[in-house]
Amino acid sequence: VDLGQAERCAILAHALDLLKPVLPKSTYEKAIAQMRTRVFLPYLAGGENWSGNNWNAVCNGCTTRAVLALEPDKKIRARFLEASERTAPYYLNGFAPDGYCGEGLDYWNYGYSRFITWGLDVRRATGGAVDLFKLPRAREAMAYAYTFALEPFKAPRVSDGSASVPSTGILALGRLAWPDLTCERAETFALLTGGLDNLANRALDTESVNLYLKPNRRPYVLPPRTWFPDAQFYFGRPAGAEAVPFSACVKGGHNGVPHNHNDAGQYIIALGGTQVVQDPSGKKYDLDTFGPKRYHSPMLNSYGHAVPYPAGLLQNPGREFGAQILSTDFTDARDVFELDLRGAYPADANLKTLTRRLTYDRANASVELVDRVA
């Protein structure tokens, strides 16, 4: 089952469910018959998605939600619920244990929004007996959107992602799973806005409406530091409302994440909402974007990123190519983060030393970057 196929099926299912009292019976039955033939039965015949990226949440989630809305046969509904229990963990395993999304915030917005609506519909259909939000990494993946930011809701661009803010619609729906994960941005999102999925889950659900009647209006304040240890991704920020709005981040990790760019060691610096040193983000998709020539593009290989280019060497793609942490020293006044980057480059490159050390000095609003190579 394909992305577009599953998404269209979910949208049609919501529409049919809401409009059933006023639709001609023949129209309603014909639509369901087409979805059963083109989506439901192919899915049961082996169309489940087992990937660890956004495709999983979209294909499995949207298809299951359509079945739960329309399918009268409870045994078929049960089969899809059972499939949800088996496939959802694979989506969440695409996140690091600390919640980091290697696909970037753009694809987090796309995939996690479908996971949230998938989880809400499954929980509602089973009276809470099946709760995808209790799976490992589900909460950590939601919290990622709150802390993956240089400044409040100003995220760096990594991998193929280009979005700089998490979707307010997802933050609003996330409150239904974790009411304590909230802030003003999530609570001021209007009930009667957004796509049909969000609308159905917010404005037409008793649990959601009751939650909106009890807002906290909690201000959103980023901590002076965010550290994703599993992904080796560090954010340094100023301390205090009066401090200079100057922040930086640097990533280690490996070159085998979904929508990967060869960017181990990449750093980004922001001042007052502007990323003065930034990641080029993804290129416009074409025939070679996901083929064997993917890393011929300097937008995707290491040449187009703020990483070392020792003796004209480019980093290699693959999970086996990446950085190692040499040291971290985090204090109130400054943070120091040092990486060994030799492992991101060809093994026969004869690199004796290739280190990168970033010092974020919040006391003096400065960043020092030191590379050493032999």
Side-chain angles (χ1 to χ4, degrees):
V1 174
D2 185 64
L3 284 172
Q5 194 180 25
E7 284 198 300
R8 181 164 298 183
C9 196
I11 293 171
L12 279 172
H14 270 306
L16 289 168
D17 186 37
L18 295 171
L19 299 175
K20 184 177 180 180
V22 296
L23 282 176
K25 184 178 179 181
S26 60
T27 301
Y28 181 84
E29 292 178 346
K30 182 178 180 181
I32 294 179
Q34 288 293 323
M35 283 193 281
R36 189 177 286 122
T37 299
R38 297 173 183 271
V39 183
F40 300 170
L41 294 179
Y43 185 95
L44 291 176
E48 297 173 10
N49 188 291
W50 296 84
S51 66
N53 57 32
N54 62 83
W55 283 63
N56 184 318
V58 177
C59 297
N60 295 314
C62 288
T63 304
T64 299
R65 290 170 49 230
V67 169
L68 294 177
L70 300 177
E71 178 55 60
D73 189 327
K74 66 180 182 180
K75 291 184 178 180
I76 293 179
R77 294 200 304 272
R79 289 181 65 184
F80 276 85
L81 287 168
E82 185 269 338
S84 295
E85 292 184 278
R86 283 188 290 106
T87 56
Y90 286 85
Y91 168 65
L92 294 171
N93 285 341
F95 294 82
D98 54 26
Y100 176 76
C101 177
E103 296 182 282
L105 195 54
D106 227 20
Y107 286 95
W108 181 90
N109 277 331
Y110 182 51
Y112 204 80
S113 64
R114 275 61 177 183
F115 174 74
I116 283 285
T117 49
W118 183 13
L120 289 173
D121 281 9
V122 166
R123 190 171 69 176
R124 190 177 297 118
T126 62
V130 179
D131 193 344
L132 303 184
F133 302 133
K134 292 181 179 179
L135 291 171
R137 307 190 191 187
R139 180 188 171 90
E140 289 81 0
M142 180 71 205
Y144 158 87
Y146 281 91
T147 56
F148 188 74
L150 290 156
E151 298 172 9
F153 299 109
K154 295 283 186 179
R157 298 174 176 181
V158 298
S159 300
D160 281 347
S162 60
S164 58
V165 294
S167 164
T168 50
I170 307 175
L171 299 183
L173 290 181
R175 295 179 61 209
L176 295 173
W178 301 282
D180 60 306
L181 282 179
T182 186
C183 69
E184 284 182 311
R185 189 179 182 92
E187 295 178 11
T188 56
F189 191 59
L191 281 169
L192 297 175
T193 57
L196 188 56
D197 290 357
N198 280 333
L199 181 64
N201 275 288
R202 287 196 321 278
L204 304 176
D205 177 69
T206 303
E207 179 185 12
S208 179
V209 172
N210 288 340
L211 190 61
Y212 268 84
L213 294 176
K214 302 174 182 178
N216 293 317
R217 297 289 188 267
R218 184 182 304 171
Y220 177 62
V221 179
L222 281 168
R225 175 191 315 107
T226 295
W227 171 229
F228 292 97
D230 298 301
Q232 302 177 359
F233 209 121
Y234 160 84
F235 287 88
R237 309 183 189 93
E242 304 302 318
V244 176
F246 181 69
S247 54
C249 65
V250 61
K251 70 180 293 290
H254 59 79
N255 291 332
V257 298
H259 288 274
N260 175 73
H261 289 193
N262 293 339
D263 59 357
Q266 169 83 351
Y267 71 98
I268 299 166
I269 298 174
L271 175 63
T274 299
Q275 294 180 26
V276 293
V277 177
Q278 64 175 300
D279 188 291
S281 184
K283 63 190 286 286
K284 184 176 181 180
Y285 291 168
D286 58 28
L287 186 64
D288 296 323
T289 302
F290 296 104
K293 297 182 180 179
R294 175 176 176 84
Y295 297 105
H296 289 192
S297 167
M299 290 283 286
L300 308 179
N301 66 32
S302 62
Y303 186 82
H305 295 79
V307 300
Y309 187 49
L313 291 172
L314 296 175
Q315 294 185 7
N316 276 4
R319 190 178 184 89
E320 67 272 28
F321 294 97
Q324 288 188 336
I325 300 173
L326 290 178
S327 64
T328 60
D329 184 15
F330 299 153
T331 67
D332 291 343
R334 69 171 196 164
D335 297 333
V336 183
F337 179 68
E338 188 167 18
L339 293 167
D340 184 342
L341 296 178
R342 287 177 299 172
Y345 293 83
D348 58 356
N350 198 31
L351 286 170
K352 297 178 181 178
T353 302
L354 182 56
T355 63
R356 166 161 285 184
R357 186 184 69 213
L358 182 136
T359 301
Y360 176 77
D361 187 338
R362 61 179 54 86
N364 297 298
S366 68
V367 166
E368 179 188 69
L369 190 81
V370 177
D371 291 344
R372 289 189 171 89
V373 61

